[in-house]
Amino acid sequence: MSAFIQVKNVWQVYGEQTVLERLNLSIAEGEFCTLVGASGCGKSTFLRLLLGQERPSKGEILLDGTPLAGEPDASRGVVFQRYSVFPHLSVLDNVAIGLELPCSALLGRLFGSAKRAAREQAAELLQKVGLGHALDKYPSQLSGGMQQRLAIAQALIMKPRVLLLDEPFGALDPGIRKDMHALLLELWRETGLTVFMVTHDLSEGFSLGTRLMVFDKTRIDPHAPNAFGARITYDIPLNEDRRAVRAALDTLPAHLTDGLPTAQQGVRA
Ligand SMILES: Nc1ncnc2c1ncn2[C@@H]1O[C@H](COP(=O)(O)OP(=O)(O)OP(=O)(O)O)[C@@H](O)[C@H]1O
């Protein structure tokens, strides 16, 4: 398995607080990884590093052998729990603009045919995520689930190689979440994207993807509670061997699973 994303001895320290400590990780192209962990343990921080919104305090992250440049680029799309859209633009324009903005910057102005092509591409993608009927609507007219479908289309319009998701479905009702899981799996299978999703729902982490990672602060010093950051303490392949997955579930210590939905309920059928 060749490494597509490589995380090498990464630390993230804010002032006195070490949030991430000595992270080492290899992800192959096309994997669907989920990361769970208690609130405040550093999941979003790690995702921001993968996105390139922040640079690690120490260590480096390579994408296909090249160190991340320290700012987001088109190779990585991202979906957050709260979507960010242009409220005054239609659903179609909110997605097409992802293609139009880089072109305008390059050309000074966008030629008519390029603009048409961008809108056609956006409409096709919106159809795929189930918003083909809502192209002319405005974001405020969409339900929560539809808004997240829009956010996914925005993230995918530039054809990224990696899709990063930070608690993307945390605010949705269980029924809608199930629909969103199905959509995400369908897009992943169809595109061969590498997916990295942060969630604090263990059942969601187990029910999706090929690999589940668990963050934990393993060595907290009572005299310096912030001295040690989160590390990946479990890295479990979610293969088709259900017994192996269940055995791995049993190894998770109670403090990681307390308060989280029952993992067994979420194991993929
Ligand atoms: N830019 C920053 N400056 C200082 N501290 C930060 C910064 N970003 C995050 N932190 C701190 O890092 C810790 C981890 O935060 P982070 O949001 O990554 O955790 P999380 O696991 O995603 O939490 P949650 O599940 O609640 O979203 C927190 O204590 C937070 O206050």
Side-chain angles (χ1 to χ4, degrees):
M1 182 177 80
S2 64
F4 177 54
I5 299 174
Q6 269 183 295
V7 177
K8 291 184 168 176
N9 190 28
V10 159
W11 295 65
Q12 192 65 335
V13 180
Y14 299 116
E16 300 275 284
Q17 189 183 12
T18 301
V19 176
L20 303 176
E21 176 185 334
R22 258 184 290 161
L23 288 185
N24 286 291
L25 183 64
S26 271
I27 298 174
E29 187 154 28
E31 277 199 276
F32 187 141
C33 302
T34 56
L35 173 65
V36 299
S39 202
C41 73
K43 303 180 296 296
S44 299
T45 299
F46 184 46
L47 193 114
R48 288 197 301 276
L49 298 183
L50 290 174
L51 181 60
Q53 258 180 354
E54 285 177 32
R55 274 177 178 280
S57 312
K58 196 170 138 190
E60 64 174 353
I61 301 177
L62 309 175
L63 182 70
D64 212 6
T66 307
L68 293 188
E71 57 187 43
D73 65 42
S75 65
R76 282 148 290 149
V78 66
V79 177
F80 294 105
Q81 185 177 123
R82 266 171 291 141
Y83 71 109
S84 72
V85 292
F86 299 103
H88 59 290
L89 294 183
S90 69
V91 164
L92 178 62
D93 286 335
N94 259 290
V95 177
I97 201 168
L99 292 170
E100 292 171 2
L101 279 179
C103 280
S104 328
L106 209 64
L107 301 175
R109 73 188 173 87
L110 196 67
F111 299 109
S113 60
K115 193 170 173 120
R116 256 196 315 279
R119 290 169 67 83
E120 274 168 23
Q121 218 174 304
E124 199 179 309
L125 180 56
L126 283 160
Q127 185 75 37
K128 208 177 278 180
V129 302
L131 286 180
H133 62 290
L135 302 185
D136 297 327
K137 287 195 189 300
Y138 286 87
S140 61
Q141 297 173 294
L142 302 180
S143 66
M146 285 161 82
Q147 286 169 2
Q148 282 311 71
R149 286 173 190 267
L150 174 56
I152 289 173
Q154 284 182 312
L156 294 182
I157 191 66
M158 295 295 284
K159 296 194 168 52
R161 299 178 72 187
V162 182
L163 180 63
L164 302 166
L165 304 116
D166 194 354
E167 306 262 4
F169 313 132
L172 303 179
D173 294 339
I176 308 284
R177 279 174 87 125
K178 254 181 126 179
D179 292 346
M180 298 304 293
H181 292 166
L183 171 67
L184 189 55
L185 284 173
E186 191 183 313
L187 291 169
W188 169 63
R189 288 188 184 119
E190 202 175 291
T191 58
L193 267 172
T194 305
V195 177
F196 191 94
M197 182 170 119
V198 164
T199 174
H200 59 236
D201 180 342
L202 192 54
S203 67
E204 186 169 75
F206 270 101
S207 65
L208 294 172
T210 55
R211 183 171 170 187
L212 172 89
M213 288 166 232
V214 184
F215 258 4
D216 191 18
K217 296 191 180 203
T218 49
R219 293 186 296 136
I220 294 177
D221 173 351
H223 303 295
N226 291 328
F228 295 105
R231 307 173 68 186
I232 294 170
T233 45
Y234 290 87
D235 190 345
I236 304 168
L238 298 176
N239 50 33
E240 299 311 318
D241 182 350
R242 299 279 302 274
R243 271 183 307 182
V245 173
R246 279 179 191 271
L249 280 175
D250 290 340
T251 67
L252 292 180
H255 76 277
L256 290 178
T257 51
D258 280 353
L260 297 174
T262 316
Q264 278 82 351
Q265 289 168 359
V267 175
R268 207 164 19 144

